[in-house]
Amino acid sequence: MAMTASSGVAQGAGNVAPGQAERSPFVRTTELLAPYRPAKPLITLSVGEPQHPVPDFVGPVLAKHTADFGRYPLAKGIEPFRRAAAAWLSSRFQLPRPVDPESEVLVLNGSREGLFFAAITAARYVSPRKGRPAVLMPNPFYPAYGAGARAAGCEQIHLPTTLANGFLPDLDAIDEATWARTVAFFIASPANPQGSVASRAYFTRLKQLADRHGFIILSDECYSEIYTREAPGSMLECAGPDFTNVVAFQSLSKRSNLPGMRVGFAAGDKKFLAAFLELRNVAAPQVPVPLQHVAVAAYSDEAHVEENRRLYRIKFDFADQILGSRYGYKRPAGGFCVWLDVSDRGGDEAVTVQLYRDAGVRVIPGSYLAREQNDGFNPGAGYIRLALVSDSESTAEALHRLVETLG
């Protein structure tokens, strides 16, 4: 059955007060756990903040370019950064042609603000819609998607991603009336929180729909370099010779263990990026030039990225051994999160409290990462998310405690 606009719209998460579902899931988790104290030394797996070492080249590059903090950066980004980002894309992915660093790459102050401002740009950029403009996104989803749609004055349509559909939005479940009023479609591959990766066929189908209905695909690929087996592809690989209607977002937070540096980029459709730059010139945060030089070094080096993947591989090997097939665990295709089904152990909020109180392990309830559909279904309910960002010993200890506590 095709998904109608009403069936796809989320109205909240669980039985929460109005507006509660729109709040940060991390703030809500902190409030949930506030009455309790952990019985064991705390291991935090709730926040996806990489804890691996910062690359050695960061300090020397910053020192060399310290004087550049004394000038305002261009919103577009310095030429060496745009060249480095374009060259990295061409070497990493099988693109239809090389990306033009002059017109098809923009620096971002981390991918989050880029995703937010891109939704606003899309609402202004696309042709008039048939009905109220809508932004489509997976459910669960990264909160910046919803915030961007809300700021753009668009209806948020949340597409449930479940085990049954491979934890990716079911493109064939969306009706023509909804497609006709879509201004942007957020897709995350690898997905957060489930780690699912879109196939080339999936990307191709989404591109066909974007061209047919004239909306922009905003492809969040910030986890693309975190995998333990096969390298995920990019939406840009299936975007055609001009990357029309496609923009991919990348970040150094996960790839290079630089979450506090806040540097990433957007690449793709040059006409959209021109409109994006116009908005960014007056509203978006600029990226300090010294940080862009660090990014040039980061995108020119793969050794630290390979070491990063090796460390994550060790932790997922531990997860394979310790979790086995419990809680529906399956090694994710990408990203560093584990998505566990605890619906038969009291539900996600209750388990989050239990693990924190009894085991000293902090996770995040899956329902806080999703929104309730009109039929009352919250696709994150009954799950917990673990981010395997701590060192391998702490991660293994946390997983052992989890199994001992939940059985």
Side-chain angles (χ1 to χ4, degrees):
M1 178 180 295
M3 178 182 294
T4 63
S6 60
S7 68
V9 177
Q11 302 297 328
N15 298 315
V16 298
Q20 179 79 342
E22 296 296 320
R23 300 176 63 229
S24 163
F26 305 106
V27 172
R28 292 179 64 195
T29 301
T30 296
E31 293 173 351
L32 172 71
L33 300 177
Y36 309 97
R37 293 293 178 268
K40 298 181 180 181
L42 184 63
I43 301 175
T44 298
L45 302 180
S46 55
V47 181
E49 181 181 62
Q51 300 296 307
H52 296 167
V54 170
D56 293 339
F57 55 74
V58 173
V61 173
L62 280 177
K64 181 179 178 180
H65 295 279
T66 300
D68 287 328
F69 280 116
R71 59 193 179 99
Y72 288 119
L74 293 174
K76 185 176 184 177
I78 62 175
E79 184 180 357
F81 172 84
R82 288 182 279 111
R83 286 202 313 265
W88 177 77
L89 282 172
S90 291
S91 64
R92 170 62 176 83
F93 300 107
Q94 297 178 353
L95 303 182
R97 65 163 173 81
V99 170
D100 178 10
E102 182 60 30
S103 63
E104 295 174 335
V105 177
L106 290 180
V107 72
L108 301 175
N109 201 290
S111 59
R112 180 170 68 172
E113 64 87 1
L115 293 161
F116 172 82
F117 281 106
I120 299 173
T121 304
R124 300 175 177 184
Y125 174 81
V126 301
S127 60
R129 302 288 90 178
K130 298 178 181 178
R132 183 185 177 189
V135 174
L136 279 57
M137 63 195 74
N139 192 22
F141 62 98
Y142 186 44
Y145 307 164
R150 187 164 62 254
C154 296
E155 180 178 359
Q156 299 177 52
I157 296 185
H158 301 103
L159 310 173
T161 56
T162 65
L163 179 62
N165 57 27
F167 295 116
L168 291 169
D170 183 354
L171 303 179
D172 294 323
I174 303 166
D175 65 13
E176 288 294 309
T178 301
W179 285 126
R181 60 192 187 90
T182 299
V183 300
F185 188 111
F186 280 106
I187 182 68
S189 177
N192 175 12
Q194 308 98 331
S196 50
V197 169
S199 66
R200 195 173 186 88
Y202 186 97
F203 280 145
T204 298
R205 171 68 173 144
L206 183 55
K207 163 66 172 172
Q208 292 170 344
L209 289 163
D211 289 346
R212 176 181 172 186
H213 297 284
F215 61 82
I216 300 296
I217 299 168
L218 305 176
S219 185
D220 183 354
E221 301 176 8
C222 72
Y223 287 95
S224 70
E225 304 314 288
I226 309 300
Y227 57 90
T228 60
R229 290 173 179 161
E230 296 182 11
S234 170
M235 184 73 225
L236 292 174
E237 295 178 314
C238 304
D242 293 323
F243 307 114
T244 305
N245 294 328
V246 175
V247 180
F249 295 79
Q250 281 283 349
S251 168
L252 291 175
S253 295
K254 280 71 177 179
R255 176 188 183 272
S256 297
N257 301 311
L258 293 170
M261 199 172 84
R262 312 311 305 145
V263 178
F265 67 84
D269 186 325
K270 65 181 179 182
K271 292 182 180 179
F272 178 85
L273 289 180
F276 194 24
L277 178 59
E278 287 296 319
L279 176 62
R280 299 186 62 75
N281 270 325
V282 296
Q286 299 151 293
V287 181
V289 172
L291 302 188
Q292 293 187 55
H293 283 293
V294 173
V296 171
Y299 283 119
S300 303
D301 177 72
E302 289 297 319
H304 75 285
V305 186
E306 293 171 0
E307 171 62 12
N308 198 29
R309 281 195 290 269
R310 186 187 70 83
L311 295 176
Y312 282 117
R313 188 178 300 112
I314 291 171
K315 289 182 280 190
F316 276 108
D317 287 344
F318 280 137
D320 291 351
Q321 297 164 17
I322 298 167
L323 297 178
S325 60
R326 295 180 180 90
Y327 328 114
Y329 169 75
K330 185 178 180 181
R331 190 181 186 117
F336 51 51
C337 294
V338 169
W339 190 236
L340 301 181
D341 184 352
V342 294
S343 56
D344 62 350
R345 287 167 170 80
D348 54 322
E349 286 186 318
V351 166
T352 297
V353 169
Q354 182 183 7
L355 288 175
Y356 180 76
R357 182 191 62 209
D358 300 342
V361 176
R362 182 172 176 135
V363 301
I364 193 163
S367 61
Y368 290 10
L369 300 170
R371 299 292 183 269
E372 185 179 282
Q373 310 286 150
N374 270 355
D375 60 4
F377 173 59
N378 182 319
Y383 286 88
I384 55 172
R385 191 194 77 172
L386 287 61
L388 304 191
V389 292
S390 296
D391 61 81
S392 58
E393 291 184 2
S394 298
T395 299
E397 172 65 18
L399 294 173
H400 279 300
R401 291 187 200 175
L402 184 149
V403 171
E404 291 168 1
T405 302
L406 299 184

